[in-house]
Amino acid sequence: MPALASVFAVATAIGLNGAAAQETTFPPGAPGATTTIDGRYLPNPPPPFMGDIQTNANQSKPYWPGLVVPPKGAPNILLIMTDDVGFSAPSTFGGVIPTPALDRIAAEGLRYTRMHTTALCSPTRAALLTGRNHHSVATGVVVDQATGYPGYNSVIPRDAVAIGEILKLNGYDTSWYGKDHNTPQWEGSQAGPFHNWPTGAVKGFDYFYGFLGDDASQWQPNNLFRNTTPIQPYLGNAGWNLTTAMADEAITRIKMLNDVQPDRPFMIYYAPGGTHAPHHPTKEWVDKIGAMHLFDDGWNKLRDTIFANQKKLGVIPENAELTAWPDTIPEWGSLSAEEKRLFIRQADVYAAYLAYTDHEIGRVIQAVDDIGKLDNTLIIYISGDNGASPEGTLNGLFNEYAVANAVNPTVEQNMQFYDEWGTDQTYPHFAVGWAWAWATPYQWTKEVASHFGGTRNGMAISWPARIKDAGGIRHQFHHVIDVVPTILEAAGLPEPVSINGVAQRPIEGVSMAYTFDDANAADRRMTQYFEMFGSRAIYNDGWIASAPPVGAPWILTLEQPPADVMNGFKWELYDTNKDWTQAHDVAAAEPDKLRDMQQLFTMEATKYGVFPLDDTRLQRFISKKPSYSPGRTEFTYSGTIMNVPFPDTGTAPSLLNRSYTITAEIEVPEGGAEGMLMTDGGRFAGYGFYLLKGVPVFTWDLVDLERVKWQGKEALAPGKHTVEFDWKYDGPGLGKGGTGTLKVNGTVVDSHPMPKSLPITLAWDETFNVGIDTGTSVDDADYQVPFPFTGTIDKLTVKLGPSEE
């Protein structure tokens, strides 16, 4: 045995694949020994036993495999990404909204002025975590709009494993807080499978506390998970807010690790819901920001203020030009007094949300400082995963689910919720004029990949032990795919060749570490493509060719005919060496250069899996996705089930745009019963089937503008009953009306038509439940959650008719 072991010892010393020798603490084989592995083949092959085994233990020599640790001096990693923050919203990049935590990282480190995202959330986050372009990792669009092409199917491939798994297998503790919009929808329930969840082998985080999907209420996030278990910490906890709770969770883990394993480096990926809609700050922050009167002069003057601030800060050059205001958004001076009042309220609430989010991030940063580890912590704080969101449309939204169902609230409808804006009684978003202002000095917004207003986001990096140019500014051109190689270089780790037995495709980003010491270092990212919904661009050595969208992204209707994606988009050309902001289109003067750039885009798009181009939004959102129950039309439940998301993937019945029948066989005890039989959605869009003081009720909530009810005449007596709701849909088509009929023991107790229905979606941050309601009420006047059924559900059956979309 010793002779054989010595052979393996030599192999390990020189590296099994010719790499540099592994580092092992001495004495090797002792219980406290650690080892730094080669890192190119993960997990590391099992080490040989280097002890001595005889027939008796007292004649044998034990040998412990070393615990895997990162290279000596490897920093902790705190990777922060906020949501839907335009380049110029935070004070750090010229905005008027106070962001002291981001300011702190910039002051202690470096401020990057040309960091780029993909123009949309899921794609940016996939690129950020894998170091590959978003189409390369199957996320050419948000997971809700996944289609069956390699660049778009939303399944991050196993040959492009994320940074969490890489660092974990090299000995880091890895944890994720906040948004995960990168789990395929059909795997997003508590039934799994969990391979593609944050704690699965593709992403590789040890711990997850956050939500799945586009967004979540910060007051009642019904899509919140701890690892893979749904949780509802807000129930019975008045004033609870996820923004604070998430910071508390991260701080608790930071302290725990320092107490239990103080020498083990950690990586924290911190991705709060702020500032994606719904904008849900606490009243304290709304009052604080409101008192500052930051937005009273409107969005046009705000741009001028920001533009001047940016030049003073040096985040844009002195010769930069402010791009033109678009004709499709009204000038502030043209608005009525009521419109201005509403829009100022929207901006105040949004700004409060951004300031609140940054404050809680600051608490996490301070927690690292408090345990004495800030000096050797690499903090990368990216302000937004795309440009400011235009999805609030021209008037703003008291309820984001309204526009998701092609309902555009008027100013008058929004004003009904003026006092509640930002509370749990709204799911709000601001008017698009603010989004354009928070893109200053650039054109366009989120969803638009052709221009910097959609893709340029502020970033600050600090690492006091390594970065000495505190407060420096860096203008090198970079993209979120450059974050992973930066982390690997900082940690002294190689790019993996194989992970979990799968050969890895090359990382497509370049490390930004070359900028740490040299403000004038030549750019190393010379070329970068961009594409989203057919809008696209190609950057090369200072030039950028841009094809903006055919229609404005804030104009959302059920009728969205696709354009000729290859030929229907008009290309523009900019020389950013002279024109920092894409203010002057020189396509007409430089036709040869434009042609060369277009050809380069085609080459890059082919290389990274961008084709086929697709400019549809609604069609992809409602398109059929994979399902573990394909074609399922009958669902049967006994007892209580809760927190089942994504009904469109077969995890739960989807009632939209079809006929259906719900039959509940129940038993009412002596004294009567009430409570939820079946529900999906809640306060902002959804339905509920329940007994209210013993009386059967079926309620449809049509985006909080209207509620339609079918109700029995009397409470059910003790004993067994069959309660049924039948809906006959007036399709084909989306959002048509129909006739609902409520029956008790076979007898009709209420029947009437509903002229229209929800065409697209229920509240996606809420879930399907039987026997209980774990999110928000479909009608607060009727009941409050959790509203458990106090009788017995013997059997509840849902039968679906064919979809008539």
Side-chain angles (χ1 to χ4, degrees), residues 428-628:
H429 203 322
F430 53 65
V432 71
W434 297 121
W436 201 281
W438 286 318
T440 302
Y442 306 112
Q443 301 181 61
W444 291 103
T445 61
K446 173 184 177 180
E447 298 190 20
V448 180
S450 59
H451 287 69
F452 295 147
T455 62
R456 184 162 287 181
N457 287 85
M459 178 180 70
I461 298 179
S462 72
W463 182 9
R466 172 68 177 80
I467 298 173
K468 301 305 180 183
D469 184 19
I473 295 178
R474 297 294 184 265
H475 296 305
Q476 289 86 356
F477 190 98
H478 280 290
H479 190 274
V480 288
I481 61 174
D482 299 333
V483 169
V484 164
T486 305
I487 292 173
L488 292 178
E489 181 172 348
L493 297 173
E495 177 180 337
V497 174
S498 174
I499 301 179
N500 298 320
V502 179
Q504 297 295 290
R505 67 179 68 181
I507 286 175
E508 294 159 5
V510 299
S511 172
M512 298 179 286
Y514 74 94
T515 68
F516 289 175
D517 300 320
D518 187 356
N520 299 312
D523 287 13
R524 294 187 182 178
R525 171 154 299 289
M526 303 305 296
T527 302
Q528 179 62 46
Y529 84 90
F530 300 87
E531 189 278 335
M532 193 62 59
F533 300 123
S535 165
R536 53 202 185 273
I538 182 71
Y539 172 87
N540 181 251
D541 195 18
W543 289 86
I544 186 166
S546 305
V550 174
W554 53 88
I555 300 175
L556 301 173
T557 70
L558 295 180
E559 305 299 327
Q560 290 182 315
D564 178 349
V565 188
M566 285 300 294
N567 301 310
F569 284 63
K570 180 182 180 294
W571 283 84
E572 301 166 358
L573 181 67
Y574 302 94
D575 180 0
T576 66
N577 296 302
K578 303 174 183 177
D579 176 17
W580 182 274
T581 63
Q582 294 176 293
H584 298 286
D585 175 14
V586 296
E590 298 277 358
D592 292 341
K593 184 65 175 181
L594 177 60
R595 184 187 64 250
D596 291 346
M597 295 290 284
Q598 289 172 306
Q599 290 174 347
L600 180 58
F601 174 83
T602 300
M603 293 169 62
E604 294 290 291
T606 301
K607 179 180 179 180
Y608 294 115
V610 178
F611 297 122
L613 296 179
D614 187 345
D615 69 336
T616 60
R617 289 168 169 77
L618 172 61
Q619 290 89 333
R620 284 193 275 181
F621 187 85
I622 65 175
S623 66
K624 297 302 179 185
K625 312 293 190 295
S627 170
Y628 285 99

Side-chain angles (χ1 to χ4, degrees), residues 209-212 221-226 229-234 240 242 643 765:
Y209 177 91
F211 58 91
L212 266 61
N222 195 214
N223 51 348
L224 186 65
F225 287 83
R226 189 185 303 278
T229 301
I231 55 174
Q232 303 87 37
Y234 50 85
W240 185 94
L242 178 57
N643 298 94
D765 75 318

Side-chain angles (χ1 to χ4, degrees), residues 47 78 122 168 351 417 596 603 655 770:
L78 176 55
S122 296
K168 180 176 71 176
F417 299 88
D596 291 346
M603 293 169 62
L655 305 188
V770 172

